[in-house]
Amino acid sequence: MLGAVRTCLRCAAVDDTDDPAWALDREGGENRWLCPDCARAHARDIEARLPPEWWS
Ligand SMILES: [Zn+2]
């Protein structure tokens, strides 16, 4: 993932610094990223593996 630009799934924040605080949620073979703020706010939801429809 080095050099990759990732976008937060929820708030559309962009990161290209490889900040380890970003959370990766693998869903259906697709990598979904959450910025640190969103990851913290929704940590329980991520752990519950809610379906993608929930995020919209
Ligand atoms: Zn976010």
Side-chain angles (χ1 to χ4, degrees):
M1 277 168 271
L2 285 175
V5 177
R6 50 194 171 181
T7 303
C8 177
L9 179 63
R10 285 194 54 84
C11 75
V14 175
D15 173 74
D16 61 358
T17 64
D18 294 314
D19 185 344
W22 279 59
L24 172 62
D25 178 35
R26 290 189 152 231
E27 187 71 44
E30 185 176 344
N31 290 347
R32 298 168 182 271
W33 288 100
L34 287 173
C35 70
D37 286 344
C38 290
R40 185 165 47 245
H42 296 279
R44 288 185 305 169
D45 301 318
I46 294 169
E47 291 172 359
R49 292 193 162 279
L50 291 174
E53 289 78 10
W54 184 88
W55 298 101
S56 58

